[in-house]
Amino acid sequence: MLNQTLPSYPSNPLPAKTDSPFSAVVPGKVILSESWKIFAAAVFLVSVPVFFQAPLVRAFPTLSLLLTAGWVGLGWTLLSRPKTHVWGDLLLGFTGSWLCGSIYWGWLRWEPTVHLPVEALCLPIALWCLYRRQLLVGSWFYLGSLFGTAITDLYFYLAGLIPHWRHIMQVDPALALPILQNATAQVRTPFGVSSAAVLLIILLVAGIVPLRSKQLYWWAFGGAVLSTILVDSLFWIAASHA
């Protein structure tokens, strides 16, 4: 699928000075550095589409799946232009997450045990790209998103929330309130809170440490991982106040 014309990444794609999140500060205008732009885009591409794709894929799963072709086309178009190359790279990584999410939440959402395997369908492609040192930003973004998904799923297993997951997916959304209340009560147990704290620390470490690097693709990974905390927190708040 990937050909020899795709450029390999230089060893240091960022400017020498990357300590500040700002590449320039002028009166009345703040310009983010390239690394922070990638980080912000990664957070956006994980968090915001969750709330857009979730209702779309439930009502129109085929449409959500077909939109993958549009993301691929846009990604390759951006990739072919030097000024937007990195954004095309990132968008192609997002496309992998979108594709896997469309498949699972469109047709398989009733079975949580296959969630992670379906979300990992593009993992061989991402690993191949890393081996070839091509599409590194998108590949690491996808891996960061997948890592966050794995941690979230692990918590569902540890906290015993899998039965609630199945039940919610089998009933009308309007009837899901009692199930959500039972699930949140189970999360508030000492074990539920302590295991959530441990996994939160894992996500924080995995998301913050890469930000010490000068490589753009590590910022994409860190943004994807840290946005998992944001998404899970928003779902938790919504469930707690349901």
Side-chain angles (χ1 to χ4, degrees), residues 19 22 47 66 70 89 103 140 167 237:
D19 295 333
F22 310 112
S47 55
L66 292 176
D89 189 344
I103 294 173
W140 278 110
H167 198 182
I237 292 172

Side-chain angles (χ1 to χ4, degrees), residues 36-229:
W36 281 98
K37 288 179 182 179
I38 291 293
F39 176 84
V43 172
F44 176 86
L45 289 175
V46 170
S47 55
V48 175
V50 167
F51 303 98
F52 169 72
Q53 187 181 23
L56 174 66
V57 76
R58 186 154 189 159
F60 308 103
T62 303
L63 175 60
S64 180
L65 186 63
L66 292 176
L67 282 176
T68 304
W71 295 126
V72 171
L74 179 58
W76 280 103
T77 299
L78 295 175
L79 193 72
S80 64
R81 301 170 181 172
K83 290 185 177 181
T84 58
H85 176 91
V86 68
W87 303 110
D89 189 344
L90 180 62
L91 189 58
L92 288 175
F94 164 75
T95 300
S97 297
W98 180 278
L99 170 64
C100 298
S102 296
I103 294 173
Y104 177 78
W105 295 106
W107 292 277
L108 302 169
R109 61 180 178 270
W110 298 275
E111 185 44 67
T113 58
V114 301
H115 179 223
L116 191 58
V118 173
E119 293 286 355
L121 286 175
C122 293
L123 180 58
I125 299 176
L127 295 178
W128 176 249
C129 288
L130 295 184
Y131 173 75
R132 299 290 300 274
R133 293 196 58 80
Q134 295 174 335
L135 302 180
L136 296 183
V137 173
S139 297
W140 278 110
F141 168 84
Y142 173 79
L143 291 176
S145 178
L146 183 61
F147 178 78
T149 298
I151 294 296
T152 301
D153 282 16
L154 176 60
Y155 181 74
F156 270 78
Y157 282 101
L158 292 176
L161 298 176
I162 295 300
H164 297 292
W165 180 333
R166 288 196 179 98
H167 198 182
I168 288 177
M169 294 303 165
Q170 293 171 354
V171 302
D172 187 275
L175 304 177
L177 179 58
I179 307 172
L180 287 173
Q181 291 174 336
N182 291 335
T184 54
Q186 198 161 330
V187 168
R188 292 192 180 103
T189 62
F191 179 78
V193 173
S194 59
S195 58
V198 171
L199 296 180
L200 174 61
I201 292 173
I202 293 174
L203 286 173
L204 285 172
V205 172
I208 293 175
V209 170
L211 304 186
R212 297 172 61 87
S213 173
K214 295 181 180 181
Q215 305 293 345
L216 287 177
Y217 48 81
W218 282 121
W219 286 76
F221 178 86
V225 171
L226 291 177
S227 61
T228 301
I229 300 174

